[in-house]
Amino acid sequence: MGATGATGPTGAVGPTGAAGATGAQGPCSSLETAVHGQFLYTGVVKNGAVQVGSQPLNGSGAGTTTWASAQALPAGASPACSVSVVDQGDHVILQAITTNGVVYQTSCTFASNTTAVSCPNPWALLSSEPARQSESGAPPFGTEQQRGPAPAEGARSIKVSWEPYVRRPS
């Protein structure tokens, strides 16, 4: 038997394999705060559920937070992924977006020196899905609209356009 010959050239790259299965949804967690009077309200999403806390504020530092669970999202809704907290003057508004993009809203009562925040109201569907935007935050290319004056605005109107913010393909 003779000596081993030189290594041959590398062969061509083979075809790309099939795509793998989609992975599981990652965990969602969210925290949002708002101040009303002498209380800090904190909305939290943990394990798909929404909780809201009320914390008395005082000159010597933060007080203890008292937590309340918001009502469960409607039957069949995907888990909550993020929450917002808004001071509406006479109550706290919570908005939650689910893992599939559906937005719900509920309201809670404010805390007082003798009672904690409470959220007895059910969630209501706010929208089926928010509008999608480009990475720059501008609306998708080709959807910008010029806004003319409404009849009541007359000549004092200012035209608004996304045109300066829209990325153009090169």
Side-chain angles (χ1 to χ4, degrees):
M1 186 180 246
T4 301
T7 301
T10 301
V13 175
T16 300
T22 300
Q25 168 76 32
C28 291
S29 59
S30 174
L31 179 129
E32 172 88 6
T33 61
V35 174
H36 177 83
Q38 296 299 312
F39 287 88
L40 173 69
Y41 295 90
T42 304
V44 174
V45 172
K46 186 174 180 185
N47 298 325
V50 177
Q51 293 186 322
V52 62
S54 55
Q55 176 185 23
L57 302 174
N58 55 47
S60 63
T64 302
T65 301
T66 303
W67 293 97
S69 293
Q71 297 289 318
L73 289 173
S78 295
C81 196
S82 183
V83 65
S84 68
V85 178
V86 178
D87 172 358
Q88 186 56 32
D90 59 348
H91 56 276
V92 178
I93 291 180
L94 301 179
Q95 291 184 340
I97 187 167
T98 65
T99 55
N100 66 346
V102 179
V103 180
Y104 292 92
Q105 178 174 304
T106 190
S107 61
C108 305
T109 60
F110 283 120
S112 71
N113 290 332
T114 58
T115 61
V117 64
S118 66
C119 301
N121 301 315
W123 292 90
L125 179 66
L126 189 62
S127 73
S128 58
E129 186 173 353
R132 299 200 185 274
Q133 292 187 343
S134 68
E135 289 180 18
S136 69
F141 177 72
T143 63
E144 62 273 7
Q145 296 178 351
Q146 297 290 326
R147 181 184 152 329
E153 294 174 323
R156 297 180 294 138
S157 173
I158 299 173
K159 277 189 156 182
V160 177
S161 172
W162 280 95
E163 187 67 28
Y165 306 103
V166 175
R167 288 189 195 171
R168 299 287 182 213
S170 301

